[in-house]
């Protein structure tokens, strides 16, 4: 059995719930069998290593631990995991990747080795880093990791000329979107998406019901055109409307009355300054944001170089039409050589749809 693979699968269970901490999984093995396992609990609660050690009890003495991220060695919301490992009597620790947090970054591994525990590094390192790509960006830059997500037809449309878009993607793709929503801290859309689609923007479980924990919903709306009757205001979770000084005070008041947090940002050519918005989200320890439309907002993020990852669902249909909506608006590239290209591309099949994902900026 690949014990680090098991630890990674546990870590995935913590995505979203562990933020702003990294999502970590830990497995303790003795005599070729797993005796305990754990994953990061919500902030202020036990980390993966401590969860697993609590299960193992005295059985941890002389055993081997597999953990997806270097154990922390400093006091934060909880005591250091490295000290708990040392006190447990664990004999050997396999670490997938080092923690880029400047307070840790190799020190956790060194502490284990200094206390006589064998520490091995690098098993499934790429997978471990990808799993915590949002944490890695946030802890090194203070900014959230930005994913652009959209669904298109084979001819690149997101809706018909009348605005009808339900549903371009198939059921399996839509289930995947709810899983993606479960894993991020915030979902962002432009006001035109709210006006045209009136989305709920919720993360739902396999039964179709909204989950207890919902990502923050962010509407980028420079003039506060979002209607106070929008369906998303009736959903579980919090909503922020990012606006500018151009927003009428009366409209701001209406949105606040239905529970929205309305926050004013600088104006950049009549639009919300996205860089300032992202800095504000980072200051709130929001480490991951998924942009779900519309085409104007997506264009702004791409053009300003603010997107880290793109996830595109492609449905096997042809919509056609000069006036049918496209996924990314804006001016676009003048030459193919100037077009944005994805790296580390993955292609997956979801029902009849294809899902293409990849990274921008290297």
């Amino acid at each position: 059995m690949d014990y680090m693979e098991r630890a990674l699968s546990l870590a995935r269970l913590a995505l979203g719930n562990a933020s702003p901490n990294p999502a970590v999984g830990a497995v303790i093995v003795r005599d070729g069998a797993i005796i305990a396992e754990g994953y990061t609990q919500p902030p202020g609660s036990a980390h993966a290593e401590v969860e697993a050690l609590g299960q193992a009890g005295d059985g941890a003495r002389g055993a081997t631990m597999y953990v997806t991220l270097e154990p922390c060695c400093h006091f934060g919301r909880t005591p250091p995991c490295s000290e708990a490992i040392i006190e447990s009597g664990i004999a050997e620790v396999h670490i997938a990747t080092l923690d880029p947090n400047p307070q840790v970054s190799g020190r956790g591994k060194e502490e284990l080795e200094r206390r006589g525990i064998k520490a091995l590094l690098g098993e499934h390192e790429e997978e471990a880093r990808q799993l915590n790509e949002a944490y890695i960006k946030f802890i090194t830059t203070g900014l959230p990791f930005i994913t652009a997500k959209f669904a298109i037809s084979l001819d690149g449309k997101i809706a018909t000329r009348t605005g009808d878009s339900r549903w371009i993607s198939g059921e399996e793709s839509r289930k995947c979107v709810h899983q993606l929503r479960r894993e991020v801290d915030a979902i962002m859309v432009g006001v035109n998406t709210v006006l045209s689609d009136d989305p709920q923007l919720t993360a739902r479980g396999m039964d179709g019901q909204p989950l207890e924990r919902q990502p923050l919903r962010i509407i980028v709306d420079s003039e506060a055109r979002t209607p106070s009757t929008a369906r998303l205001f009736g959903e579980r979770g919090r909503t922020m409307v990012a606006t500018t000084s151009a927003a009428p005070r009366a409209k701001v008041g209406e949105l606040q009355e239905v529970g929205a947090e309305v926050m004013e940002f600088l104006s950049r050519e009549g639009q919300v300054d996205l860089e300032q918005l992202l800095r504000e989200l980072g200051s709130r320890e929001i480490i991951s944001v998924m942009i779900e439309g519309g085409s104007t907002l997506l264009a702004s993020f791409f053009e300003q170089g603010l997107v880290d990852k793109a996830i595109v669902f492609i449905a096997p249909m042809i919509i056609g039409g000069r006036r049918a909506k496209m996924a990314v608006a804006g001016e676009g590239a003048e030459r193919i050589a100037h077009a944005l290209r994805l790296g580390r591309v993955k292609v997956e099949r979801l029902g009849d749809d294809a899902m293409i994902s990849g990274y921008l900026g290297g």
Side-chain angles (χ1 to χ4, degrees):
M1 181 177 183
D2 190 325
Y3 300 119
M4 192 63 81
E5 277 280 5
R6 175 58 185 166
L8 285 165
S9 69
L10 290 167
R12 291 186 184 96
L13 298 176
L15 282 172
N17 292 318
S19 178
N21 292 331
V24 181
V27 170
I28 298 177
V29 177
R30 188 182 187 89
D31 299 326
I34 294 176
I35 63 169
E37 54 189 31
Y39 57 89
T40 314
Q41 299 301 300
S45 302
H47 291 188
E49 301 94 321
V50 174
E51 278 278 297
L53 290 170
Q55 285 184 23
D58 292 338
R61 190 161 299 278
T64 299
M65 174 181 284
Y66 292 79
V67 63
T68 58
L69 188 71
E70 178 183 18
C72 63
C73 56
H74 66 290
F75 280 88
R77 292 183 174 94
T78 60
C81 292
S82 59
E83 192 60 37
I85 293 171
I86 292 164
E87 292 177 357
S88 74
I90 286 282
E92 182 173 300
V93 179
H94 293 241
I95 303 167
T97 188
L98 295 179
D99 188 338
N101 185 339
Q103 293 182 291
V104 186
S105 194
R107 295 184 180 91
K109 179 176 179 290
E110 290 171 3
E111 176 68 12
L112 297 178
E113 292 173 327
R114 188 163 56 248
R115 300 291 288 273
I117 297 174
K118 187 176 182 180
L120 304 174
L121 177 67
E123 293 176 43
H124 295 284
E125 181 170 13
E126 183 178 347
E127 297 98 311
R129 290 184 63 82
Q130 182 175 335
L131 188 144
N132 272 308
E133 57 196 11
Y135 166 77
I136 290 171
K137 180 185 179 185
F138 172 75
I139 205 68
T140 54
T141 69
L143 297 173
F145 186 90
I146 306 300
T147 300
K149 187 277 298 180
F150 49 93
I152 59 173
S153 62
L154 282 176
D155 55 339
K157 308 297 185 180
I158 61 170
T160 68
R161 57 185 171 81
T162 64
D164 182 33
S165 61
R166 296 188 180 182
W167 293 102
I168 289 179
S169 57
E171 183 178 355
E172 291 302 311
S173 294
R174 295 197 298 275
K175 287 180 180 178
C176 180
V177 169
H178 282 289
Q179 175 66 20
L180 293 170
R181 288 177 178 177
R182 185 188 75 80
E183 295 175 354
V184 298
D185 291 343
I187 300 167
M188 184 183 294
V189 296
V191 63
N192 289 331
T193 296
V194 178
L195 293 171
S196 61
D197 297 344
D198 195 16
Q200 293 168 286
L201 297 181
T202 52
R204 296 176 179 268
M206 297 300 291
D207 59 0
Q209 296 302 308
L211 300 174
E212 181 69 26
R213 182 261 180 195
Q214 290 291 326
L216 172 67
R217 295 181 289 268
I218 304 169
I219 306 170
V220 180
D221 181 3
S222 59
E223 298 179 356
R225 294 187 292 133
T226 301
S228 59
T229 55
R231 287 197 301 169
L232 54 81
F233 292 124
E235 297 294 333
R236 177 180 292 163
R238 298 175 297 124
T239 301
M240 171 197 284
V241 179
T243 189
T244 69
S245 59
R249 295 300 95 190
K251 281 292 298 180
V252 169
E254 289 177 13
L255 294 173
Q256 290 172 330
E257 285 179 6
V258 293
E261 176 191 3
V262 183
M263 188 162 186
E264 183 178 308
F265 293 89
L266 296 174
S267 176
R268 180 170 175 170
E269 297 180 357
Q271 304 299 318
V272 170
D273 187 313
L274 298 178
E275 292 186 4
Q276 186 191 16
L277 171 56
L278 296 187
R279 287 194 299 271
E280 171 63 25
L281 296 178
S283 73
R284 299 184 183 205
E285 297 189 322
I286 291 171
I287 73 172
S288 56
V289 179
M290 184 162 68
I291 304 167
E292 298 204 29
S295 60
T296 300
L297 183 64
L298 283 167
S300 295
F301 267 89
F302 280 118
E303 289 170 357
Q304 293 178 42
L306 301 176
V307 177
D308 297 296
K309 184 177 184 177
I311 300 177
V312 184
F313 298 89
I314 304 175
M317 65 172 68
I318 306 292
I319 293 176
R322 293 188 304 275
R323 292 186 290 123
K325 295 184 178 180
M326 65 184 74
V328 182
E331 291 299 316
E334 291 186 5
R335 302 175 62 85
I336 293 297
H338 301 155
L340 298 175
R341 289 187 179 272
L342 302 183
R344 291 178 283 158
V345 173
K346 290 185 179 180
V347 181
E348 300 177 44
R349 182 167 178 173
L350 296 173
D352 289 334
D353 297 345
M355 182 180 75
I356 298 179
S357 62
Y359 297 84
L360 290 101

